[in-house]
Amino acid sequence: QVQLQESGPGLVKPSETLSLTCAVSGYSISSGSQWGWVRQPPGKGLEYIGSIYRSGSTYNNPSLKSRVTISVDTSKNQFSLKLTSVTAADTAVYYCARLVTVATDYFDYWGQGTLVTVSS
Amino acid sequence: QSALTQPASVSGSPGQSITISCTGTSSDVGNYKYVSWYQQHPGKAPKLMIYDVTNRPSGVSDRFSGSKSGNTASLTISGLQAEDEGDYYCCSYTTSSTRVFGGGTKLTVL
């Protein structure tokens, strides 16, 4: 059974960098698939942040592109998100998920989500 | 990229059928068969219900079905049950090799 678990600070100050890690168990990141981040502001809808292949190739939401860095650490079987220059608008539940992309495209396994609040 | 357009809310009585639409553009929904649908209950992570427009993952009830015509995809739930109540989101692959979600639809079972 594939499991994903997000971790990171629950509170980030405005203008600072949000950093989250997603630990994957039950499946080797090196085996394939993309690995993605999706966020959900309180009371609002889902927003695709970006995703990464095991090779390190990334695909990011154009509206966030310049602030987002997604990286993968196959030795630790985890991947990470960094979002710079955060504002209150970045307050959201952040989910990591596996993105199946071989002749298809969908998120099948999700983490439980972690709430990140941007506030001084 | 703009979010796909979904109705904010739909409702139906137990046993009835409802359909949720998801309208995009020729840069996403209209150009690919890669439309997926997710169900989300309060405080929970999204759950995959439909992928590649019409396919159901193992374990998802056959009361859920999907279709697409042009730039609009649809999710139909037949034989509504109380447990179907929740939020539903569509998602599409895009010509930029990214993904875009719909704004979400709140389903109320009356």
Side-chain angles (χ1 to χ4, degrees), chain A residues 26-55:
Chain A
Y27 186 88
S28 172
I29 283 183
S30 299
S31 296
S33 295
Q34 285 192 41
W35 303 90
W37 290 95
V38 175
R39 70 179 183 179
Q40 185 172 36
K44 296 188 177 181
L46 302 172
E47 179 182 31
Y48 170 81
I49 298 172
S51 53
I52 188 167
Y53 271 121
R54 58 182 174 177
S55 64

Side-chain angles (χ1 to χ4, degrees), chain A residues 2-5 22-27 29 35 76-79:
Chain A
V2 181
Q3 294 185 316
L4 296 90
Q5 179 67 58
C22 181
V24 180
S25 59
Y27 186 88
I29 283 183
W35 303 90
K76 295 183 178 179
N77 215 42
Q78 64 186 34
F79 59 106

Side-chain angles (χ1 to χ4, degrees), chain A residues 34 38 40 44-48 51 59-63 95 99 101 103-108 110-113, chain B residues 1 33-36 38 40 43-48 50-52 89 91-93 96-103:
Chain A
Q34 285 192 41
V38 175
Q40 185 172 36
K44 296 188 177 181
L46 302 172
E47 179 182 31
Y48 170 81
S51 53
Y59 303 89
N60 296 335
N61 186 330
S63 67
Y95 295 99
L99 179 57
T101 60
T104 185
D105 201 87
Y106 57 86
F107 295 96
D108 61 349
W110 296 69
Q112 64 185 24
Chain B
Q1 58 192 19
K33 68 173 184 176
Y34 302 142
V35 176
S36 50
Y38 303 85
Q40 187 180 37
K44 300 296 186 182
K47 174 187 175 183
L48 177 68
I50 294 286
Y51 67 96
D52 293 353
Y89 295 90
C91 182
S92 175
Y93 183 74
S96 302
S97 300
T98 61
R99 286 85 193 158
V100 60
F101 283 94

